[in-house]
Amino acid sequence: MGRVSPLPPPGPLRTLALATLANTVGTGLWLAGGALYLTRDVGLSPTSVGAGLTVAGLVGLTASVPLGGLADRWDPRTLRAALQVCQAFAAAAYLLVDSLAMFLVVAVPEALLSAGNLAVRAALVAAVGGPTGRVHAFATLRAVANLGTTAGTALAGIALAVDTHRAYQVLVLGNVATYLLSAALLLRVPRQAARAGGARRAAGSIRRGGPLRDGRFLAVSGTSAVLGTHLTVLTLVVPLWTVGQAGAPPPVVSAVLLVNTVLTVLLAVRLSGGAETAAPAARKLRRAGLVLASATPLYAATAGLPVLPAVGVLLVATAVWTVGDLWHASAGAGLAYDLAPPHAIGAYQGADGLVAGLAQALGRGLLTLLVLGGGAVGWLVLGALFAAVGLTAPALARRAVASRPAPTGEPAAAGQPVAPV
């Protein structure tokens, strides 16, 4: 019988999971309450908040590769803990925001820290999990993160129900506390060896100019990034479609998102197998694209159904969508890890995060326009796009593997995919 708890057995991965749980409770607090704090308590306009977050998010992406590269030279555990402490100070600085200018002064550094920290986190997961366990570790933390974000969102509901200045301050300070708790837990993870010496020995295996000039890696990363916009579809497009086109009452949106959360917690680890190396991960990415595509006609059909059948189809479509989501997550992680030179994993994860972030930023407007403006046809076009992109993944991955040079001064096999245990 499989484990029910998403937490792994005692060990470094469990400690990392607990740090992730603490951090994502704060994420849930801020995601649910941050915008309302800035508009209702601080007094900024919704347009200003949206524009400011967009600008900060795009600027923040520039930190992904440099901080990821830093994780290749320093202990990623200590670096991530330090970044979490810096993020705690940035989160606390939101209490000082009283204008749009001050909002940008706080939001931009916070976004830089956040984007860079994701690359460092990926490097730390790789170090803790090892070549044959890093995708499993990634999936484990994905399940734990969903659990933490859901708990944080529920806690934020208390502050939003009270809707007072003091309640919003408590919400902000709660987010600060989770960063500090996460940093303290991270320091309980064993130190990870720096890769600087190995990086010098393997200089011949890393493309000159780093990951941003590795076109074949970026092609695979771009494929994964396009499929990764399923997150925007689920959290932005589906809620608007549910209420506006399917005619369901607003509480159904919570039910739809709850299906995704529960299935992610239960299935993320179970569906992560077989993506440790590039070839099987690319095939799983192809499968993810086809599964996501198969859910789009279901969403499209809800526009012509009575409310109760529409709700049922929405929930089924979301269950199918979640399977594609989970296959994409493990496949994307496996490709990003295995196609990176062994001594530049952090920098390559930063590049992968940069591409994914750009896709999400562009996808919000384009996907909303495509689906909500195009109706059922828009859903079918989106499905065709996901299927076509997924089908290209194996060929792109083969080209990336074929172009990968063997590390200089080490056995050729060291730079090749490691067979899963």
Side-chain angles (χ1 to χ4, degrees), residues 128-159:
V128 170
T132 59
R134 55 199 179 190
V135 175
H136 169 81
F138 176 88
T140 299
L141 298 183
R142 170 83 189 275
V144 171
N146 265 49
L147 196 61
T149 302
T150 301
T153 301
L155 291 173
I158 301 173

Side-chain angles (χ1 to χ4, degrees), residues 197-212:
R200 286 191 292 270
R201 291 193 303 270
S205 71
I206 302 174
R207 293 181 181 275
R208 184 171 298 176
L212 295 181

